[in-house]
Amino acid sequence: MPLTSLLLLQQVAFLLQEGTPETTNFMIAGYIVFFLILIIYLVSLYARWRNLQQDMKMMEELEVRER
Amino acid sequence: MEPKPRLLSILDIVAVVMVLVAAALVFFYAPMEAIMGMVQKVFYFHVSAAWIGMLSFLVAAVAGIIYLRTQNRRWDIVGLSSVEIGLVFTFIAIVTGSIWARPVWNTWWTWDPRLTTVTIMELLYAAYLMLRAGIEDPGRRARFGAVYAIVGFLSVPLTFFSARLYRTIHPVVFGGAGGELDMDLSPRMTQAFMFSLLTFTVVYADLLWHRIRIGRLADRVEQLRLKALG
């Protein structure tokens, strides 16, 4: 019998015995992780943008001074 | 530096609203799955993140091809930006998948074909960024990046089809070969899932545009720096 069919049978048997399992905490953890990683990435984009703008300003000032 | 385009500001707002609506659909509209419980709802954002990962790497490969043909630096920036976003979303998919797996498979990780191939794909593209950082000449770096993105893309269909070609416990969403577990979605689940996919595609477009702007600014700063050094 394929592995996935066995797994499904096992889950149905568990459901008949125990009812729907309580897995809300894992769902919450999953979404916290998602938003956390996304926010960290957005913050890194903003920080890079700000740093580059400062570098650009500095380079433009240097260029003006050299002229 | 050119000011932020108005269309990009609108896209920012649209992306945020769509993410909030998608989350609301997942938590309040889509029903709870009877066998797995609430953890099944991780699936909506998990699959959508994986979709963006693969889309990003496809865009990077196409950008690589166009760069090699045109030698236009803009396509190198598009490729680099897309790979970076792809890495982030593939990582999200891996971690959320692991969180889903713990109560369902009773393990955080298994060396299943899908999990193994997605990890290889992630590491391949992480290496892309690291290797690029080691090349100083912008032209060489762009050529290397283009070729790497094209060749690296071979890992994407391998990852996608791994759950269909090999014996795996990873669910197949869009219909698999006989004997594989398909995720039977109710109409509400399907609606929430499709909206999540659309939302993530819009988020990708938004992030890509922002990341390209950063790339162009970095390019200009580098050119000024090289000019100053003579």
Short mmCIF file of all heavy atoms in Angstrom, two decimals, chain B residues 84-110:
data_model
loop_
_atom_site.label_atom_id
_atom_site.label_comp_id
_atom_site.label_asym_id
_atom_site.label_seq_id
_atom_site.Cartn_x
_atom_site.Cartn_y
_atom_site.Cartn_z
N GLU B 84 17.20 37.72 -4.85
CA GLU B 84 17.15 38.06 -3.41
C GLU B 84 15.75 37.84 -2.84
O GLU B 84 15.58 37.24 -1.77
CB GLU B 84 17.57 39.52 -3.24
CG GLU B 84 17.75 39.91 -1.80
CD GLU B 84 18.16 41.36 -1.70
OE1 GLU B 84 19.34 41.66 -2.00
OE2 GLU B 84 17.31 42.19 -1.32
N ILE B 85 14.74 38.31 -3.57
CA ILE B 85 13.36 38.13 -3.10
C ILE B 85 13.00 36.65 -3.09
O ILE B 85 12.34 36.16 -2.17
CB ILE B 85 12.40 38.93 -4.00
CG1 ILE B 85 12.67 40.43 -3.85
CG2 ILE B 85 10.94 38.63 -3.64
CD1 ILE B 85 11.99 41.28 -4.90
N GLY B 86 13.44 35.94 -4.12
CA GLY B 86 13.18 34.50 -4.18
C GLY B 86 13.76 33.76 -3.00
O GLY B 86 13.14 32.85 -2.44
N LEU B 87 14.96 34.16 -2.60
CA LEU B 87 15.61 33.53 -1.44
C LEU B 87 14.78 33.75 -0.18
O LEU B 87 14.58 32.82 0.62
CB LEU B 87 17.00 34.14 -1.23
CG LEU B 87 18.13 33.46 -1.97
CD1 LEU B 87 19.41 34.28 -1.84
CD2 LEU B 87 18.37 32.05 -1.43
N VAL B 88 14.30 34.96 0.01
CA VAL B 88 13.53 35.28 1.21
C VAL B 88 12.25 34.45 1.26
O VAL B 88 11.92 33.84 2.28
CB VAL B 88 13.19 36.79 1.25
CG1 VAL B 88 12.21 37.11 2.36
CG2 VAL B 88 14.46 37.61 1.43
N PHE B 89 11.54 34.41 0.13
CA PHE B 89 10.25 33.70 0.14
C PHE B 89 10.43 32.19 0.17
O PHE B 89 9.60 31.47 0.76
CB PHE B 89 9.39 34.15 -1.05
CG PHE B 89 8.68 35.44 -0.77
CD1 PHE B 89 9.32 36.66 -1.00
CD2 PHE B 89 7.41 35.44 -0.24
CE1 PHE B 89 8.68 37.85 -0.70
CE2 PHE B 89 6.76 36.63 0.06
CZ PHE B 89 7.41 37.84 -0.17
N THR B 90 11.47 31.68 -0.44
CA THR B 90 11.73 30.23 -0.34
C THR B 90 12.06 29.87 1.11
O THR B 90 11.62 28.83 1.61
CB THR B 90 12.88 29.82 -1.27
OG1 THR B 90 12.54 30.21 -2.61
CG2 THR B 90 13.11 28.32 -1.25
N PHE B 91 12.81 30.74 1.77
CA PHE B 91 13.12 30.51 3.18
C PHE B 91 11.84 30.51 4.02
O PHE B 91 11.66 29.66 4.89
CB PHE B 91 14.10 31.59 3.68
CG PHE B 91 14.51 31.40 5.11
CD1 PHE B 91 15.31 30.33 5.48
CD2 PHE B 91 14.11 32.29 6.10
CE1 PHE B 91 15.70 30.14 6.80
CE2 PHE B 91 14.49 32.11 7.42
CZ PHE B 91 15.28 31.04 7.77
N ILE B 92 10.96 31.44 3.72
CA ILE B 92 9.66 31.48 4.42
C ILE B 92 8.91 30.17 4.20
O ILE B 92 8.34 29.59 5.12
CB ILE B 92 8.82 32.68 3.94
CG1 ILE B 92 9.38 34.00 4.50
CG2 ILE B 92 7.36 32.52 4.35
CD1 ILE B 92 8.71 35.24 3.94
N ALA B 93 8.92 29.70 2.96
CA ALA B 93 8.21 28.45 2.62
C ALA B 93 8.82 27.28 3.40
O ALA B 93 8.08 26.44 3.94
CB ALA B 93 8.28 28.18 1.12
N ILE B 94 10.13 27.23 3.49
CA ILE B 94 10.80 26.12 4.19
C ILE B 94 10.44 26.14 5.68
O ILE B 94 10.08 25.12 6.27
CB ILE B 94 12.33 26.19 3.99
CG1 ILE B 94 12.68 25.85 2.53
CG2 ILE B 94 13.05 25.23 4.94
CD1 ILE B 94 14.13 26.09 2.16
N VAL B 95 10.53 27.32 6.28
CA VAL B 95 10.29 27.42 7.73
C VAL B 95 8.82 27.17 8.07
O VAL B 95 8.50 26.42 9.00
CB VAL B 95 10.75 28.79 8.27
CG1 VAL B 95 10.38 28.94 9.73
CG2 VAL B 95 12.25 28.97 8.09
N THR B 96 7.91 27.77 7.31
CA THR B 96 6.48 27.55 7.59
C THR B 96 6.10 26.09 7.31
O THR B 96 5.25 25.52 8.00
CB THR B 96 5.58 28.49 6.77
OG1 THR B 96 5.92 28.39 5.38
CG2 THR B 96 5.75 29.94 7.22
N GLY B 97 6.73 25.51 6.31
CA GLY B 97 6.49 24.09 6.02
C GLY B 97 6.92 23.21 7.18
O GLY B 97 6.22 22.25 7.54
N SER B 98 8.04 23.56 7.77
CA SER B 98 8.54 22.81 8.93
C SER B 98 7.59 22.92 10.12
O SER B 98 7.31 21.93 10.81
CB SER B 98 9.93 23.33 9.30
OG SER B 98 10.42 22.68 10.43
N ILE B 99 7.06 24.12 10.32
CA ILE B 99 6.11 24.34 11.43
C ILE B 99 4.83 23.54 11.19
O ILE B 99 4.26 22.95 12.10
CB ILE B 99 5.81 25.84 11.58
CG1 ILE B 99 7.05 26.56 12.10
CG2 ILE B 99 4.62 26.08 12.51
CD1 ILE B 99 6.96 28.06 12.10
N TRP B 100 4.39 23.51 9.95
CA TRP B 100 3.21 22.70 9.60
C TRP B 100 3.48 21.22 9.81
O TRP B 100 2.65 20.47 10.32
CB TRP B 100 2.83 22.97 8.14
CG TRP B 100 1.76 22.09 7.59
CD1 TRP B 100 0.41 22.28 7.66
CD2 TRP B 100 1.95 20.86 6.88
NE1 TRP B 100 -0.26 21.25 7.05
CE2 TRP B 100 0.67 20.35 6.56
CE3 TRP B 100 3.07 20.12 6.49
CZ2 TRP B 100 0.47 19.16 5.86
CZ3 TRP B 100 2.89 18.92 5.79
CH2 TRP B 100 1.60 18.46 5.48
N ALA B 101 4.69 20.78 9.44
CA ALA B 101 5.03 19.37 9.49
C ALA B 101 5.07 18.81 10.91
O ALA B 101 4.75 17.64 11.13
CB ALA B 101 6.38 19.13 8.81
N ARG B 102 5.46 19.65 11.88
CA ARG B 102 5.66 19.13 13.24
C ARG B 102 4.43 18.41 13.79
O ARG B 102 4.55 17.27 14.25
CB ARG B 102 6.11 20.27 14.17
CG ARG B 102 6.38 19.83 15.61
CD ARG B 102 7.50 18.84 15.70
NE ARG B 102 7.70 18.34 17.05
CZ ARG B 102 7.09 17.27 17.56
NH1 ARG B 102 6.24 16.58 16.83
NH2 ARG B 102 7.33 16.89 18.79
N PRO B 103 3.24 19.02 13.77
CA PRO B 103 2.07 18.29 14.28
C PRO B 103 1.50 17.27 13.29
O PRO B 103 0.84 16.32 13.70
CB PRO B 103 1.04 19.40 14.54
CG PRO B 103 1.41 20.49 13.62
CD PRO B 103 2.90 20.40 13.42
N VAL B 104 1.76 17.48 11.99
CA VAL B 104 1.13 16.60 11.00
C VAL B 104 1.97 15.34 10.74
O VAL B 104 1.45 14.24 10.66
CB VAL B 104 0.90 17.38 9.67
CG1 VAL B 104 0.31 16.47 8.61
CG2 VAL B 104 -0.01 18.57 9.92
N TRP B 105 3.28 15.53 10.58
CA TRP B 105 4.18 14.39 10.35
C TRP B 105 4.91 13.96 11.61
O TRP B 105 5.70 13.03 11.58
CB TRP B 105 5.24 14.76 9.30
CG TRP B 105 4.71 15.06 7.93
CD1 TRP B 105 3.49 14.76 7.42
CD2 TRP B 105 5.42 15.72 6.88
NE1 TRP B 105 3.39 15.20 6.12
CE2 TRP B 105 4.57 15.80 5.77
CE3 TRP B 105 6.70 16.27 6.78
CZ2 TRP B 105 4.95 16.39 4.56
CZ3 TRP B 105 7.09 16.85 5.57
CH2 TRP B 105 6.21 16.91 4.47
N ASN B 106 4.70 14.68 12.68
CA ASN B 106 5.37 14.41 13.96
C ASN B 106 6.89 14.58 13.86
O ASN B 106 7.66 13.93 14.58
CB ASN B 106 5.05 12.99 14.46
CG ASN B 106 5.25 12.88 15.95
OD1 ASN B 106 5.11 13.85 16.68
ND2 ASN B 106 5.63 11.69 16.40
N THR B 107 7.33 15.45 12.96
CA THR B 107 8.75 15.76 12.85
C THR B 107 8.91 17.15 12.25
O THR B 107 8.08 17.58 11.46
CB THR B 107 9.49 14.71 11.99
OG1 THR B 107 10.88 15.04 11.94
CG2 THR B 107 8.97 14.67 10.56
N TRP B 108 9.96 17.87 12.65
CA TRP B 108 10.22 19.19 12.07
C TRP B 108 10.80 19.05 10.67
O TRP B 108 10.61 19.92 9.82
CB TRP B 108 11.23 19.96 12.93
CG TRP B 108 10.74 20.34 14.29
CD1 TRP B 108 11.09 19.74 15.47
CD2 TRP B 108 9.83 21.38 14.63
NE1 TRP B 108 10.45 20.37 16.51
CE2 TRP B 108 9.68 21.37 16.04
CE3 TRP B 108 9.13 22.35 13.88
CZ2 TRP B 108 8.85 22.28 16.71
CZ3 TRP B 108 8.31 23.25 14.55
CH2 TRP B 108 8.17 23.20 15.95
N TRP B 109 11.50 17.94 10.41
CA TRP B 109 12.20 17.82 9.13
C TRP B 109 12.34 16.35 8.75
O TRP B 109 12.47 15.47 9.61
CB TRP B 109 13.60 18.44 9.25
CG TRP B 109 14.30 18.51 7.94
CD1 TRP B 109 15.24 17.64 7.46
CD2 TRP B 109 14.10 19.48 6.92
NE1 TRP B 109 15.63 18.02 6.20
CE2 TRP B 109 14.95 19.15 5.84
CE3 TRP B 109 13.27 20.60 6.80
CZ2 TRP B 109 15.01 19.91 4.67
CZ3 TRP B 109 13.34 21.35 5.64
CH2 TRP B 109 14.19 21.01 4.58
N THR B 110 12.31 16.09 7.46
CA THR B 110 12.63 14.78 6.93
C THR B 110 13.27 14.98 5.57
O THR B 110 12.95 15.93 4.85
CB THR B 110 11.36 13.88 6.83
OG1 THR B 110 11.74 12.64 6.26
CG2 THR B 110 10.29 14.51 5.95
#
